[in-house]
């Protein structure tokens, strides 16, 4: 994990591999952002002009490297675009700062230390820069750089292994001795460490990450951070009647698990339950996915990873709220033991479900976990899942959908997500779509109308939420796994989508802001 410090040094005297400054897009060319003053002075006040000569405009995501001027200890200056100049000089959007810091950190992979002289005059700005830089510095290298056994023993490989992330981020321009700044940086470090742990889990290949091994990771983290962890194995699931989780996992050689993580605070007045879909590999089961849709299905446990990360973060931050996480873990595989289309499962709630499509498995494991979470009467439940391709068709690859049984709660979740920089959109649960899940054989079918499929899935989940409990469903199928080129602080592969939203929800619940 990249180290993070609040530097007491000024930009000219900082010994680092690079200095990062912000550049905004002005009407007449690039405009230096606050924080770059000392670096600009070293350039004789002409840094913006030099950048313009090199073609820089200040557009978001733009990055320009140039040799440092004499008088700077760092040999390189990295100018990163922030987008349009804000109406007020000091009012740079937090998300713009996150993305700029992330872009710079990605460009500095392989470096030991970089000073970030981006706007940090407020605690919020410093926190945004810290988050963005740490998120951007992420790299998943666990399976890279192995020994080449075919190479001569005395030969030196030209490939020295993967380029490691930026080792240290030094924030310049903040107030190192101010308690508020220190707290903001400590929060950012804890939050991003857990987001990056979630990213690692999502990126881990399914031959190494499966229900039992995921449960072991959760158990170890619980011991480290004071979170109580209970793991229900196959025998316990059978005894408890968790027909949804068992039905999905019965086709795999490696059995399913239901993991409960419980963080409690002695002064907590509210309890928040988080439920995560944890399909460690999704082949579609007997309803096998078509060619081209299997390669990234290790990411189908991203909801469980987000829940796991959020609970641990709440514990590390010592939030005054009880947070319980439920990880519904299974592999969805085809075999002679697998659930067939047409089978009927008896769920933990007692309801029966006719399985019309075994590739609509996420809602089955979530249904059991939602019922179990409801038994503990939390003040609110939020489930997170890479649930439907329909939501990706509706909202694209960067935005997750928010559904709920309470309009005010849905609005709160949406506002929180936007606040922390996670694009989301409120979606309805039209009552007329429920009829499509009527079954002549069971209480409900796991499929309904094709059109509005993401909303149908939400309506199915709603059936398993306890009476009187506020509930929201986040369908993160789009943003959970990024297959394109990295951008901002978003890497290729697992993103850790929804963790920031869940943590901020826990913080606001602890503060009493959600009623």
């Amino acid at each position: 994990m990249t180290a993070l410090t609040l530097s007491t040094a000024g930009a000219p005297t900082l010994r680092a591999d690079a200095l990062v400054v912000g550049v905004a897009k002005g009407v007449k060319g690039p405009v230096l952002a606050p924080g770059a003053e000392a670096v600009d002075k070293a350039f004789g006040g002409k840094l913006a002009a030099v950048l313009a000569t090199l073609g820089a405009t200040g557009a978001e995501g733009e990055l320009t490297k140039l040799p440092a001027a004499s008088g700077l200890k760092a040999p390189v200056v990295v100018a990163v675009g922030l987008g349009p100049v804000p109406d007020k000089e000091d009012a740079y959007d937090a998300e713009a700062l996150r993305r700029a810091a992330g872009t710079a950190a990605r460009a500095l992979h392989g470096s030991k230390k970089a000073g970030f002289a981006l706007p940090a005059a407020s605690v919020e700005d410093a926190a945004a820069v810290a988050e963005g830089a740490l998120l951007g510095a992420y790299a998943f290298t666990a399976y890279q750089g192995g020994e080449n056994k075919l190479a001569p023993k005395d030969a030196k490989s030209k490939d020295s292994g993967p380029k490691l992330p930026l080792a240290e981020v030094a924030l310049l321009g903040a107030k190192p001795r101010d308690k508020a700044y220190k707290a903001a940086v400590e929060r950012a470090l804890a939050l991003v460490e857990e987001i990056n742990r979630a990213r690692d889990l999502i990126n881990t290949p399914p031959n190494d990450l499966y229900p039992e091994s995921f449960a072991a990771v959760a158990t170890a983290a619980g011991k480290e951070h004071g979170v109580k962890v209970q793991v229900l194995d196959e025998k316990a699931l059978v005894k408890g009647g968790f027909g949804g989780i068992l039905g999905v996992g019965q086709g795999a050689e490696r059995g399913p698990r239901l993991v409960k993580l419980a963080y409690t605070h002695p002064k907590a007045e509210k309890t928040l339950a988080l439920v995560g879909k944890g399909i460690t590999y999704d082949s579609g089961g007997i309803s096998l996915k078509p060619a081209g849709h299997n390669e990234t299905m290790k990411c189908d446990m991203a909801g469980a990873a987000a829940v796991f990360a959020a609970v641990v973060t709440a514990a590390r931050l010592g939030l005054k709220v009880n947070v319980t996480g439920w990880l519904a873990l299974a592999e969805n595989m085809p075999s002679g033991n697998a659930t067939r289309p047409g089978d009927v499962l008896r769920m933990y709630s007692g309801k029966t479900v006719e399985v019309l499509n075994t590739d609509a498995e996420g809602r089955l494991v979530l249904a059991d976990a939602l019922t179990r979470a409801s038994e503990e009467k939390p003040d609110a439940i939020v489930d997170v899942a890479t649930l439907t391709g329909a939501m990706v068709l509706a909202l694209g690859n960067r935005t997750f959908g928010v559904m709920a049984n309470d309009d005010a709660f849905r609005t709160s979740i949406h506002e929180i997500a936007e606040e922390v920089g996670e694009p989301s959109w409120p979606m309805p649960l039209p009552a007329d779509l429920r009829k499509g899940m009527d079954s002549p054989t069971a209480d409900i079918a796991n499929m309904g109308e094709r059109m509005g499929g993401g909303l149908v899935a939400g309506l199915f989940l709603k059936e398993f939420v306890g009476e009187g409990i506020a509930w929201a469903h986040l369908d993160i199928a789009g943003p959970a796994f990024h297959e394109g080129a990295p951008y901002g602080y978003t890497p290729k592969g697992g993103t850790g989508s929804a963790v920031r939203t869940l943590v901020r929800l826990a913080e606001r619940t602890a503060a009493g802001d959600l009623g």
Side-chain angles (χ1 to χ4, degrees):
M1 178 69 186
T2 300
L4 176 66
T5 58
L6 284 172
S7 180
T8 56
T13 60
L14 182 73
R15 294 188 180 276
D17 296 310
L19 289 172
V20 178
V21 298
V23 187
K25 187 174 184 179
V27 176
K28 297 182 179 180
V31 176
L32 297 179
E37 294 84 359
V39 178
D40 184 39
K41 185 176 180 181
F43 279 85
K46 297 181 179 179
L47 179 55
V50 171
L51 289 170
T53 301
L54 293 174
T57 66
E60 181 181 332
E62 181 183 80
L63 186 135
T64 307
K65 289 185 179 181
L66 65 160
S70 60
L72 297 176
K73 297 292 185 183
V76 175
V77 171
V78 177
V80 61
L82 291 165
V85 175
D87 294 335
K88 295 181 181 179
E89 185 179 345
D90 60 347
Y92 281 86
D93 178 70
E95 182 62 6
L97 294 176
R98 283 191 203 97
R99 291 180 179 176
T103 297
R106 282 193 298 103
L108 291 168
H109 276 205
S111 301
K112 291 182 179 179
K113 183 176 181 178
F116 280 69
L118 293 170
S122 71
V123 172
E124 293 76 17
D125 286 352
V129 172
E131 282 183 27
L134 293 173
L135 288 168
Y138 173 82
F140 184 67
T141 60
Y143 293 82
Q144 298 174 0
E147 179 186 356
N148 181 5
K149 294 183 178 180
L150 298 177
K153 295 297 181 183
D154 59 346
K156 291 185 178 180
S157 173
K158 294 181 180 179
D159 182 6
S160 58
K163 186 179 285 188
L164 297 177
L166 172 63
E168 182 182 347
V169 169
L171 289 187
L172 305 176
K175 299 176 182 177
R177 296 177 180 83
D178 188 292
K179 290 183 179 179
Y181 279 85
K182 287 182 180 180
V185 168
E186 288 172 1
R187 178 193 181 276
L189 189 60
L191 173 65
V192 177
E193 282 183 349
E194 296 311 320
I195 291 175
N196 285 345
R197 194 204 307 250
R199 288 171 165 181
D200 283 349
L201 287 168
I202 297 165
N203 290 327
T204 299
N207 57 316
D208 283 343
L209 188 75
Y210 43 90
E212 184 179 1
S213 62
F214 195 152
V217 171
T219 299
K223 289 180 180 178
E224 181 182 357
H225 297 292
V227 176
K228 292 183 179 179
V229 180
Q230 178 187 9
V231 180
L232 299 185
D233 61 13
E234 289 168 276
K235 290 183 179 179
L237 292 170
V238 170
K239 185 177 180 180
F242 291 87
I245 297 174
L246 288 165
V248 172
Q250 71 188 42
E253 291 187 11
R254 297 179 290 198
R257 299 288 188 272
L258 177 61
V259 180
K260 175 186 177 184
L261 304 100
Y263 160 68
T264 57
H265 191 284
K267 295 183 180 180
E269 296 181 357
K270 298 283 186 178
T271 297
L272 186 63
L274 309 176
V275 177
K277 174 188 172 184
I279 305 300
T280 56
Y281 183 73
D282 181 19
S283 69
I286 297 297
S287 305
L288 196 65
K289 291 182 181 293
H293 289 74
N294 287 282
E295 292 76 5
T296 60
M297 281 300 102
K298 63 182 181 180
C299 78
D300 214 18
M301 36 59 66
V307 166
F308 166 50
V311 176
V312 175
T313 303
R316 292 182 62 173
L317 298 179
L319 302 182
K320 293 181 182 179
V321 58
N322 298 328
V323 185
T324 302
W326 300 88
L327 315 182
L329 309 176
E331 278 189 324
N332 186 26
M333 299 291 285
S335 75
N337 295 322
T339 294
R340 297 155 292 245
D343 282 357
V344 173
L345 304 177
R346 185 170 294 279
M347 310 295 282
Y348 179 71
S349 67
K351 288 183 179 180
T352 55
V353 176
E354 182 182 10
V355 179
L356 299 180
N357 187 328
T358 63
D359 195 23
E361 85 297 331
R363 64 199 70 183
L364 298 175
V365 300
L366 286 173
D368 274 357
L370 284 168
T371 302
R372 179 64 188 87
S374 295
E375 288 182 336
E376 299 191 353
K377 305 296 183 184
D379 294 287
I381 298 176
V382 179
D383 77 71
V384 188
T386 48
L387 205 60
T388 66
M391 196 56 55
V392 185
L393 290 173
L395 299 178
N397 290 316
R398 299 190 183 185
T399 303
F400 63 75
V402 184
M403 286 155 262
N405 61 0
D406 179 275
D407 289 349
F409 190 46
R410 181 186 63 190
T411 298
S412 293
I413 297 290
H414 171 57
E415 290 175 348
I416 287 170
E418 295 296 312
E419 176 189 341
V420 300
E422 295 194 308
S424 70
W425 196 252
M427 303 293 284
L429 290 174
D432 61 286
L433 291 178
R434 169 60 183 84
K435 186 172 178 58
M437 289 184 284
D438 287 347
S439 166
T441 308
D443 295 324
I444 190 173
N446 77 328
M447 293 291 288
E449 295 181 29
R450 180 170 176 267
M451 300 302 175
L455 312 182
V456 171
L459 286 165
F460 180 91
L461 296 177
K462 183 182 177 183
E463 298 270 331
F464 297 88
V465 178
E467 198 69 33
I469 301 174
W471 158 79
H473 161 55
L474 313 185
D475 190 334
I476 62 170
F481 195 84
H482 180 57
E483 296 185 61
Y487 65 93
Y489 53 78
T490 301
K492 189 179 181 71
T495 64
S497 177
V499 177
R500 286 181 286 159
T501 296
L502 296 179
V503 171
R504 183 55 57 85
L505 171 64
E507 288 174 327
R508 287 182 56 168
T509 303
D513 292 344
L514 291 176

